[in-house]
Amino acid sequence: MSKTFLSAALVAISLLSSCDDSKSKPQVQSAPISKTPKKTITTSTLPSDIVMAQYIQLKNAFVMDAVSKVIEQLQSFNEIVHNQLTADGTTLDKQKLLKGIAELTNKMQSQGFEAQRETFIKLTDAMVQWNEAYPGQEKIYMQYCPMYKGGNYWLSMEEQVLNPYYGSKMLRCGVVEKTLN
């Protein structure tokens, strides 16, 4: 047993001494940090309500820090809301909610990216009201980030927290507060 221990000790010493050669140390380079979350956001998990679906797609664009996608989603959101406003049978209550949403999405189109995120707080409030008045069939998760501007909510189709206010900076910051619908 002592011969085995002695042999193992000699092998370990020779390995350690070969690691001391400073010329053979590898260069350490940092890998670039990806701006996109590891989880891919897909459109397969969208609510059946078209207005809520547009909100979810906009939220997903904020999660991915995708400036051009946010602009694209805002344009689509405005078209959907306009179509809903002019549809036959739209009640006055529904028009009032839609006009509030349209004002916010129009405002967001003329803002910079971080200002859009701030206005997204008010849009979320409007979408909570929308969901209360016109609940969809699917579960909607109300999520909360305690750190963004004193703490703010957003809505998600997924229980897993993906923060639209911080995006890749603090992707998982937040909790599920409650389930709607």
Side-chain angles (χ1 to χ4, degrees):
M1 172 123 172
S2 66
K3 285 185 180 180
T4 305
F5 177 75
L6 184 59
S7 296
L10 288 173
V11 169
I13 291 171
S14 68
L15 286 174
L16 288 173
S17 66
S18 68
C19 290
D20 189 37
D21 184 8
S22 60
K23 292 179 184 175
S24 65
K25 287 185 181 176
Q27 295 288 328
V28 178
Q29 296 180 353
S30 60
I33 297 172
S34 174
K35 291 281 184 191
T36 56
K38 292 186 188 260
K39 179 175 173 133
T40 302
I41 309 298
T42 64
T43 57
S44 62
T45 55
L46 292 176
S48 55
D49 175 75
I50 195 165
V51 177
M52 184 61 76
Q54 285 302 133
Y55 169 86
I56 295 296
Q57 289 180 326
L58 178 61
K59 185 265 312 175
N60 291 345
F62 279 122
V63 165
M64 295 184 292
D65 296 325
V67 176
S68 61
K69 189 76 171 165
V70 166
I71 293 167
E72 178 184 311
Q73 291 305 322
L74 284 168
Q75 289 170 346
S76 295
F77 209 153
N78 280 331
E79 288 175 25
I80 295 297
V81 170
H82 177 74
N83 290 342
Q84 292 289 308
L85 274 168
T86 58
D88 288 338
T90 303
T91 65
L92 291 176
D93 289 339
K94 193 172 193 176
Q95 284 180 359
K96 183 180 177 184
L97 287 172
L98 287 167
K99 284 179 182 178
I101 291 167
E103 286 175 16
L104 291 167
T105 55
N106 282 328
K107 178 181 179 180
M108 291 171 78
Q109 283 188 304
S110 65
Q111 294 177 314
F113 190 66
E114 291 307 317
Q116 289 172 331
R117 279 187 161 143
E118 289 182 30
T119 304
F120 188 71
I121 296 167
K122 291 178 183 172
L123 181 60
T124 296
D125 292 341
M127 291 306 298
V128 168
Q129 291 175 14
W130 175 265
N131 191 70
E132 288 171 355
Y134 307 100
Q137 301 167 356
E138 303 85 5
K139 284 184 181 178
I140 303 287
Y141 298 96
M142 181 177 260
Q143 299 178 340
Y144 177 75
C145 173
M147 298 186 66
Y148 189 78
K149 304 290 179 187
N152 282 286
Y153 293 92
W154 71 91
L155 303 175
S156 181
M157 289 292 298
E158 312 231 354
E159 191 170 6
Q160 181 182 28
V161 171
L162 297 172
N163 190 319
Y165 295 117
Y166 285 114
S168 62
K169 292 177 191 169
M170 295 179 73
L171 185 61
R172 306 277 187 237
C173 179
V175 295
V176 174
E177 283 284 315
K178 65 181 177 177
T179 304
L180 308 178
N181 303 348

